[in-house]
């Protein structure tokens, strides 16, 4: 019997993999860390524990999005505003 949370875990992995393309240390670094994190938890079968791990992954997605928005904001600010003295 397949775990009903399997699709949610795969969706999380794909979203993180997509967001990792712009990671500051490089996409290869991010992909390696992502794979090791998922492989570390591959034997978890408790649905409650899986839900906690998926919630943590969603938090990481929000943090990555905030990191990217901040980077874009800083680039635009540097481009269009004079440096403060």
């Amino acid at each position: 019997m397949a775990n009903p949370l399997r699709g949610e875990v795969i969706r999380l992995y794909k979203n993180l993999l997509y967001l990792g393309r712009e990671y500051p240390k490089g996409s290869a670094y991010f992909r390696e860390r992502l794979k090791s994190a998922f492989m570390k938890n591959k034997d978890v079968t408790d649905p409650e524990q899986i839900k906690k791990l998926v919630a943590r992954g969603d938090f990481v997605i929000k943090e990555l999005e905030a990191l990217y928005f901040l980077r874009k904001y800083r680039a635009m600010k540097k481009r269009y505003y004079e440096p403060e003295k």
Side-chain angles (χ1 to χ4, degrees), residues 6-18 34 38 50 53-61:
R6 185 177 200 278
E8 195 169 342
V9 172
I10 291 172
R11 175 201 55 84
L12 176 67
Y13 187 81
K14 286 182 178 183
N15 285 343
L16 283 167
L17 199 58
Y18 178 77
L34 178 65
F38 272 78
I50 293 173
L53 291 169
V54 168
R56 184 170 184 217
D58 289 335
F59 174 76
V60 169
I61 286 176

Side-chain angles (χ1 to χ4, degrees), residues 10-54:
I10 291 172
R11 175 201 55 84
L12 176 67
Y13 187 81
K14 286 182 178 183
N15 285 343
L16 283 167
L17 199 58
Y18 178 77
L19 287 173
R21 296 181 312 155
E22 297 180 31
Y23 195 69
K25 289 188 176 183
S27 63
Y29 172 82
F30 186 85
R31 187 173 43 248
E32 179 182 312
R33 298 277 308 250
L34 178 65
K35 183 177 180 182
S36 67
F38 272 78
M39 293 302 283
K40 182 176 76 172
N41 296 312
K42 73 177 181 176
D43 295 326
V44 176
T45 57
D46 180 33
E48 290 300 318
Q49 184 67 21
I50 293 173
K51 287 179 185 177
K52 286 181 185 177
L53 291 169
V54 168

